[in-house]
Amino acid sequence: MTRLYPVPARVSEGSPSKIASMDDWRQQWLAAKDNPDGFWLDQTKARLAWTTEPSQGLSGDFHNIAEQQVAWFADGTLNVTESCLDQHLATRGDKVAILWEGDEPGTTRTLTYAQLHAEVCKAADALRAMGVQKGERVIIYMGMVPEAAIAMLACARIGAVHSVVFGGFSAEALRDRIRDCAAEVIITQDQGLRGGRTIPLKATCDEACVGERHVRRVLVYQHTGAPVAWLPERDVWWHDAVKDASADLAAVTCAAEDPLFVLYTSGSTGRPKGLVHTCAGYMTWASYTHETVFDLREDDIYACVADVGWITGHTYIVYGPLCNGATTLMFESTPLYPDAGRYWDMVERHKVSIFYTAPTAIRALAAQGDDFVTRYDRSSLRVLGTVGEPINPEAWEWYYDVVGEKGCNIVDTWWQTETGGIAITPIAPATPTKPGSATLPNPAIVPTLLDDNALPIVGPGEGRLCLAQPWPGMARTVWGDHERYVATYFSTFPGYYFTGDGCRRDADGYHFITGRVDDVLNVSGHRMGTAEFEAVLISVEAIAEAGVVGFPHPIKGQGVYAYVVLQPGADPGADLMKAANAACREQIGAHARIDVVQVVPGLPKTRSGKVMRRILRKVAEGMPEALGDVSTLADPTVVEAIVAGAVRV
Ligand code: PRX
């Protein structure tokens, strides 16, 4: 039985939240379930600056989603930047909106709400002057500088749809995304900085654009000042473009369901999908979850140390905190630069009260010893969050005991790019926690565990995690491919949204996410498809076939294990791993690294030619005794060779 940790007094005392106790939570969860329209109309009107207030709540459901997209607040109109900026000008104009900490410790910049509003207007006016239209897609390929957030909001200000591509992606991956959403304008910067190294963002962007004639403008923010190649007919410096631009540009009015952004994420099969989030439902969800889960208070210094290239950065660095008038910290560096004390140094200097990171970082820091933590004053901390992957109880306890000195509540927040915001989570001032558990659902989230026969499990049990009702922040479709959206999320279990995750629920109704049950990997919180790795591997000259699976990794959560069948006569020797990883870096990005390559005589296939991935997984996990029935294989001897040649990791 996992121990229950009560909410520490530092967290519960003086909470301004409407969810400050388990009774509050129960009441709100039921209210949202029984009367979703009323509940969310009240929330959205209180949180967002509407141009025309909506009278409609939810339309659509999971049964006819192929014919009709889910919509929330469909008859309302707004511009989300008025919720993030204009609505704060009178009361919080001089409050710091963005607190930026650069790569070198102590390099900081602040932007108040009034300054951020002006900068967003100028960038929006610059985009408008370049001819960017409402509904047009703009790719943002930047590092963690305030201008990345300004660029996102500038797009939103004029109703353009941004698609942020993580700055670690390669030119090829960037090109795929530019093409998929047919972007004509890209916003980038000369170079990024991370851990003392430079990242050639403009050069990579140039490479991605070779032959892409539809890219008509590249707007370049100057960060390091390094010389960059320049195409005068296409490239524009940010500082030139905003020089004479309007600092008070009127926002373009959008419909509630107009797309706000497209964000690409990996799935079991095929290329990454561009998930579409729309204006009002997403913003309502971002604002509500950010305020309630973290128990946001007016004087908080809130730090989410994710990257804006992922959904966590969108929702919990930019949109949620700014809609709530918070001070949001943007962090350019890494947890280990210049040493493992960097986060806590920052907590001490900025008096951070809410801190949100990934289990991978916690594990990596715990491995470096407690001294790096305890030498800094962390008494400002109240809430500690984690996101992105399952957190093992040891890492949870280290975070709780050492970082939080048993005085902070840990919110292990489960959610996905698709959910738009936090779905299953403790509510900081209310929910007693258990190490390794994301605990209970937010209002609007109705988790259902389905068993092998697709039947709902009642009470404790383990099954596939599905969500039974629409919630405001859910992604509405896949860019340009609604059929793929329906097939991916709504066809496995008709009537339910299928998350792709497995989950155990205990007798208290607490949820423990067990990881993906599909062919998606989660390496250091980075979501990658095994199919993407396999496509890269077979592009390597010596490789004929490939099967990729994950295996448990003490720091990264999962490592990447590749089984490869060589081309006849190929003998790449020790260079195979190098060639494989060079191809991954080139075709996906530096964060896509294979840990193990095993050469096998063949992949374990059924007589109909389907690779039995279960076998590959068990061998990679070091459990060849648990292979199960292999009698349906076309060639069972392949399995013996795979087991004999397995690499122990
Ligand atoms: O497997 C779950 C895992 O991350 C997946 C979603 O990845 P992505 O769309 O990149 O979004 C990450 C940031 C929200 C999920 O399907 N995951 C996320 N949070 C948790 C988690 N697994 C366990 N516990 C979590 N708290």
Side-chain angles (χ1 to χ4, degrees):
M1 193 64 184
T2 315
R3 183 178 145 198
L4 199 64
Y5 286 63
V7 178
R10 201 198 292 177
V11 192
S12 55
E13 269 167 19
S15 168
S17 177
K18 295 215 171 54
I19 311 185
S21 69
M22 288 312 281
D23 280 345
D24 294 344
W25 168 78
R26 218 163 279 116
Q27 190 212 331
Q28 291 219 20
W29 190 82
L30 286 172
K33 184 165 183 288
D34 297 340
N35 176 18
D37 288 356
F39 185 90
W40 290 108
L41 277 167
D42 285 351
Q43 287 295 336
T44 198
K45 288 178 195 168
R47 291 171 185 283
L48 308 194
W50 286 91
T51 309
T52 322
E53 282 201 343
S55 67
Q56 297 171 5
L58 167 67
S59 36
D61 60 45
F62 290 168
H63 293 278
N64 71 342
I65 198 152
E67 289 78 43
Q68 191 197 340
Q69 286 185 20
V70 162
W72 285 87
F73 321 124
D75 62 343
T77 66
L78 79 173
N79 182 290
V80 301
T81 67
E82 295 192 320
S83 301
C84 293
L85 302 169
D86 306 58
Q87 77 165 344
H88 304 308
L89 289 181
T91 49
R92 300 187 176 108
D94 295 330
K95 179 174 177 176
V96 173
I98 294 182
L99 167 57
W100 179 76
E101 164 107 1
D103 196 38
E104 293 302 324
T107 325
T108 56
R109 252 176 87 189
T110 54
L111 284 156
T112 64
Y113 273 93
Q115 289 166 334
L116 183 61
H117 173 263
E119 294 304 319
V120 168
C121 284
K122 284 196 248 171
D125 198 25
L127 291 174
R128 195 195 47 78
M130 287 176 189
V132 176
Q133 305 284 321
K134 180 167 184 257
E136 181 177 336
R137 276 79 52 218
V138 174
I139 293 271
I140 299 175
Y141 183 64
M142 300 180 82
M144 286 297 290
V145 290
E147 280 65 21
I150 294 170
M152 292 162 74
L153 292 162
C155 290
R157 189 87 177 164
I158 57 171
V161 180
H162 62 71
S163 184
V164 183
V165 177
F166 171 58
F169 276 116
S170 69
E172 281 192 35
L174 175 60
R175 183 185 305 130
D176 283 348
R177 288 157 176 77
I178 295 170
R179 279 188 191 166
D180 188 80
C181 68
E184 297 178 12
V185 172
I186 303 175
I187 308 177
T188 188
Q189 65 191 68
D190 50 2
Q191 290 182 323
L193 286 174
R194 218 165 166 263
R197 293 204 310 265
T198 55
I199 301 156
L201 293 166
K202 169 70 163 64
T204 307
C205 176
D206 287 344
E207 198 186 328
C209 292
V210 171
E212 302 300 302
R213 305 182 74 88
H214 56 278
V215 176
R216 55 186 177 80
R217 281 281 180 274
V218 176
L219 181 60
V220 188
Y221 173 68
Q222 190 170 43
H223 184 44
T224 65
V228 287
W230 204 253
L231 276 183
E233 65 279 12
R234 186 198 68 185
D235 299 347
V236 186
W237 282 114
W238 178 295
H239 51 259
D240 287 337
V242 300
K243 208 166 41 212
D244 300 319
S246 164
D248 190 15
L249 184 80
V252 169
T253 302
C254 299
E257 284 293 332
D258 279 346
L260 174 60
F261 64 86
V262 176
L263 187 59
Y264 287 84
T265 192
S266 297
S268 291
T269 54
R271 288 171 178 275
K273 295 180 281 290
L275 287 160
V276 178
H277 282 284
T278 57
C279 293
Y282 170 80
M283 280 300 299
T284 307
W285 189 240
S287 163
Y288 176 83
T289 54
H290 176 255
E291 186 184 327
T292 56
V293 171
F294 298 106
D295 189 31
L296 184 72
R297 306 183 188 188
E298 190 61 44
D299 295 333
D300 273 325
I301 304 293
Y302 163 85
C304 166
V305 288
D307 192 288
V308 287
W310 311 115
I311 191 71
T312 306
H314 283 59
T315 310
Y316 296 111
I317 296 176
V318 181
Y319 287 112
L322 294 178
C323 187
N324 292 337
T327 296
T328 179
L329 188 140
M330 264 182 106
F331 180 47
E332 190 181 33
S333 195
T334 80
L336 295 169
Y337 184 75
D339 61 36
R342 182 61 185 275
Y343 279 165
W344 325 119
D345 167 32
M346 217 158 51
V347 165
E348 177 180 292
R349 277 188 288 110
H350 298 304
K351 304 222 174 337
V352 171
S353 47
I354 304 173
F355 186 80
Y356 194 26
T357 189
T360 289
I362 298 167
R363 287 190 292 262
L365 296 179
Q368 305 270 333
D370 298 357
D371 284 357
F372 284 109
V373 187
T374 53
R375 71 171 70 138
Y376 297 102
D377 176 13
R378 288 132 21 251
S379 57
S380 56
L381 288 171
R382 197 177 75 246
V383 181
L384 296 172
T386 82
V387 58
E389 29 166 351
I391 180 163
N392 47 313
E394 301 74 33
W396 192 102
E397 274 158 10
W398 184 82
Y399 203 28
Y400 182 84
D401 290 342
V402 180
V403 176
E405 299 174 282
K406 304 185 201 297
C408 302
N409 208 359
I410 307 270
V411 291
D412 170 4
T413 64
W414 174 86
W415 57 295
Q416 312 177 294
T417 307
E418 293 85 344
T419 67
I422 297 169
I424 301 181
T425 181
I427 303 287
T431 317
T433 48
K434 296 183 187 186
S437 176
T439 73
L440 298 162
N442 262 329
I445 298 296
V446 183
T448 306
L449 305 186
L450 298 182
D451 67 13
D452 290 343
N453 300 314
L455 294 172
I457 297 169
V458 180
E462 184 167 342
R464 291 169 189 79
L465 176 62
C466 295
L467 304 179
Q469 286 187 11
W471 61 101
M474 60 181 281
R476 304 292 196 255
T477 188
V478 167
W479 183 260
D481 199 348
H482 192 62
E483 256 176 55
R484 190 171 175 205
Y485 169 82
V486 175
T488 307
Y489 303 110
F490 297 94
S491 67
T492 320
F493 304 109
Y496 291 96
Y497 165 78
F498 176 41
T499 64
D501 281 327
C503 180
R504 177 169 67 81
R505 190 171 49 211
D506 72 8
D508 294 329
Y510 274 41
H511 295 80
F512 295 75
I513 309 295
T514 54
R516 302 288 304 198
V517 293
D518 56 8
D519 294 321
V520 170
L521 301 175
N522 193 329
V523 182
S524 302
H526 292 149
R527 176 169 162 181
M528 291 181 278
T530 52
E532 288 170 72
F533 277 105
E534 289 162 7
V536 172
L537 284 171
I538 57 173
S539 76
V540 174
E541 211 182 321
I543 298 175
E545 277 186 279
V548 171
V549 294
F551 66 93
H553 187 284
I555 303 283
K556 298 196 282 189
Q558 271 191 310
V560 182
Y561 195 118
Y563 299 86
V564 300
V565 181
L566 297 181
Q567 294 283 7
D571 181 17
D575 288 343
L576 187 60
M577 179 82 143
K578 251 200 207 144
N581 274 324
C584 289
R585 200 175 319 117
E586 197 179 304
Q587 294 177 45
I588 305 176
H591 57 293
R593 263 199 64 243
I594 292 172
D595 298 278
V596 181
V597 177
Q598 182 188 346
V599 175
V600 293
L603 295 175
K605 290 183 186 162
T606 60
R607 282 179 209 108
S608 57
K610 197 173 164 331
V611 175
M612 283 183 79
R613 308 183 65 84
R614 173 173 58 83
I615 293 176
L616 299 179
R617 252 183 247 126
K618 287 288 173 212
V619 174
E621 287 166 8
M623 297 194 292
E625 64 288 348
L627 288 184
D629 182 15
V630 295
S631 62
T632 55
L633 287 177
D635 177 5
T637 64
V638 160
V639 176
E640 286 157 34
I642 290 176
V643 173
V647 180
R648 295 310 293 247
V649 276

